[in-house]
Amino acid sequence: NNIEADKYEDVQQHFFQQHLDHFASSSDANRGQDIFEQRFFYTDRYVQEAESSPVYSFLCVGGEGPSMDKSVLVDSAHCSGDMVELAKKLYNEENASVHMFALEHRYYGESYPHLPNEIHGSAVANRNLQYLSSRQAIRDISLFVSSISVENHDLLRDSFHFLPLLRNQHAAKGINENSEESVKWVTFGGSYPGMVAAWSRLLHPSLIHASVSNSAPVQAQLDFEGYNDVVASDLSYEAIGGSKECRSIVEDGHA
């Protein structure tokens, strides 16, 4: 309906040419040149009309749950809680500009690689599932961040401005990544996307200024009993509708 559409009026949908295999060897020319269209969303809702400092770019990391749509930067289950609320707070209280992005995970939604059948076959053939990995997803983020320019707000509003395969404009100008003039990128995610968000900061600190990683099991653990303990606590927590009876029913069902 029109009311629902108006909520997302400021959210733009775009596509970014992403490498299929960031780890292709120089001897494998076909894999190194393959690309796919990766979808992302953008809004300048919390970008100041006048020049302001500091300037942030918040990036919601996809990878779990339903495929993304324009609601991802308004009221979705992905990142719209802490990310959008923090952007609003910085905009209203610190006179900051916050560009908000959401990058759909490869193989999700409309970011599904359509590979040349004569070379690769199906994207979900066993030999091609190597492209669906957290290692590839982290590199997706680093290439996306290093290829997007957010310095020219007018260009962003009129038509999205790309610098394909280049560093941010502030880096090209020789501005220090940690200076007040630089655009600070912050990744957000929960659960698996939280892992990818945190690892992106860990592995690419020159690109990612900070990461907000919620409920992210970044340390893999066999028989992760701690997770079950948290679930059991929630099932019996009356303030959110749980009860001891509810917990007992679930425990008995898994006995």
Side-chain angles (χ1 to χ4, degrees):
N1 56 42
N2 290 336
I3 296 177
E4 195 71 11
D6 289 344
K7 288 173 60 178
Y8 313 130
E9 185 178 10
D10 62 296
V11 181
Q12 307 168 28
Q13 174 181 286
H14 299 278
F15 288 86
F16 173 74
Q17 288 194 332
Q18 186 61 264
H19 290 315
L20 175 66
D21 187 1
H22 296 284
F23 304 96
S25 65
S26 57
S27 61
D28 195 340
N30 287 330
R31 278 173 49 193
Q33 294 175 1
D34 287 329
I35 61 173
F36 69 96
E37 296 289 322
Q38 188 168 24
R39 181 167 60 166
F40 70 95
F41 297 89
Y42 169 76
T43 179
D44 62 359
R45 185 184 316 132
Y46 297 120
V47 175
Q48 304 285 354
E49 291 291 335
E51 289 189 12
S52 62
S53 181
V55 180
Y56 299 93
S57 285
F58 284 2
L59 177 61
C60 174
V61 177
E64 192 171 313
S67 60
M68 289 182 173
D69 57 27
K70 288 187 174 184
S71 70
V72 68
L73 296 178
V74 180
D75 58 3
S76 79
H78 290 277
C79 297
S80 57
D82 49 6
M83 188 177 94
V84 174
E85 289 305 310
L86 180 56
K88 184 190 303 183
K89 185 179 181 68
L90 289 170
Y91 177 82
N92 290 326
E93 300 180 13
E94 304 294 333
N95 196 39
S97 285
V98 184
H99 299 272
M100 292 197 299
F101 297 86
L103 183 65
E104 189 168 62
H105 196 288
R106 53 173 55 209
Y107 278 74
Y108 280 67
E110 295 188 25
S111 300
Y112 187 85
H114 297 284
L115 310 181
N117 287 332
E118 67 275 11
I119 300 176
H120 295 284
S122 168
V124 292
N126 284 343
R127 66 180 177 277
N128 292 328
L129 290 178
Q130 63 181 305
Y131 307 128
L132 176 58
S133 71
S134 58
R135 293 172 70 240
Q136 298 283 4
I138 292 166
R139 287 292 187 92
D140 285 348
I141 290 173
S142 68
L143 182 58
F144 177 79
V145 168
S146 64
S147 302
I148 297 295
S149 166
V150 297
E151 276 77 3
N152 193 320
H153 302 169
D154 292 331
L155 277 174
L156 278 165
R157 291 191 173 101
D158 295 337
S159 60
F160 209 87
H161 184 48
F162 286 102
L163 287 179
L165 306 183
L166 295 178
R167 298 291 305 276
N168 295 51
Q169 281 184 351
H170 63 269
K173 294 173 184 174
I175 297 174
N176 188 298
E177 291 281 345
N178 297 317
S179 75
E180 290 302 316
E181 298 177 76
S182 68
V183 176
K184 294 178 172 62
W185 283 81
V186 183
T187 52
F188 290 78
S191 192
Y192 166 66
M195 297 158 66
V196 175
W199 289 331
S200 296
R201 160 61 183 165
L202 176 68
L203 295 174
H204 302 284
S206 65
L207 293 173
I208 309 299
H209 177 73
S211 174
V212 179
S213 177
N214 296 313
S215 301
V218 291
Q219 182 176 346
Q221 182 177 333
L222 186 64
D223 296 330
F224 188 18
E225 295 181 0
Y227 176 82
N228 294 333
D229 293 339
V230 173
V231 173
S233 176
D234 289 344
L235 290 173
S236 60
Y237 188 32
E238 295 182 358
I240 58 173
S243 66
K244 292 181 179 179
E245 181 183 8
C246 177
R247 172 176 172 166
S248 296
I249 291 172
V250 174
E251 284 181 334
D252 293 342
H254 290 82

